Amino acid sequence: SSGINAEYGGGIVIRFGKTLDYRLWVCSTLYKVFPTTPSTATKKLWKITLDRTAGVRLIVHCNGEKVLNARISAKTCDWPQWNRWTKKIGKIQFRSSVDTA
């Protein structure tokens, strides 16, 4: 068993610590630093887009600036269940149990 609920299609975890980093859930097992450093402003407005026009991409903007454009595929993910990102989105959840913002 993979230990992940079959209803989950994927997700992003953003850690707010000394540095901002992220992990693509049901894709990557490791946290990574954003390719473009997010704004240092205290207040941050995040826009997260799942783009399926050519494959699967997760695009993240912070205060209007693109900070991540991640391709999600068998080549870029180390989870065998990565194709859950292709599922229809039924709900979006913000989990307070892991909220560090």
Side-chain angles (χ1 to χ4, degrees), residues 11-17 19-25 31-34 38 44-48 58-62 67-68 94-95 98-101:
I12 185 169
V13 177
I14 300 173
R15 285 195 306 195
F16 296 81
T19 59
L20 257 74
D21 56 10
Y22 73 96
R23 183 171 78 98
L24 297 178
W25 197 66
Y31 281 88
K32 299 177 183 177
V33 175
F34 284 94
K44 293 177 176 51
L45 177 63
W46 296 90
K47 177 183 174 187
I48 301 171
L58 189 74
I59 302 166
V60 179
H61 289 81
C62 179
V67 295
L68 180 66
F94 294 88
R95 296 182 56 193
V98 293
D99 185 358
T100 62

Side-chain angles (χ1 to χ4, degrees), residues 18-84:
K18 290 180 184 176
T19 59
L20 257 74
D21 56 10
Y22 73 96
R23 183 171 78 98
L24 297 178
W25 197 66
V26 192
C27 176
S28 176
T29 55
L30 301 174
Y31 281 88
K32 299 177 183 177
V33 175
F34 284 94
T36 301
T37 304
S39 170
T40 57
T42 302
K43 290 189 177 186
K44 293 177 176 51
L45 177 63
W46 296 90
K47 177 183 174 187
I48 301 171
T49 306
L50 184 61
D51 182 348
R52 295 188 184 131
T53 55
V56 180
R57 290 192 169 275
L58 189 74
I59 302 166
V60 179
H61 289 81
C62 179
N63 291 356
E65 183 178 4
K66 187 187 300 181
V67 295
L68 180 66
N69 185 351
R71 185 172 156 224
I72 299 170
S73 70
K75 287 186 177 185
T76 61
C77 296
D78 54 26
W79 283 53
Q81 304 93 341
W82 74 268
N83 63 351
R84 290 186 182 191

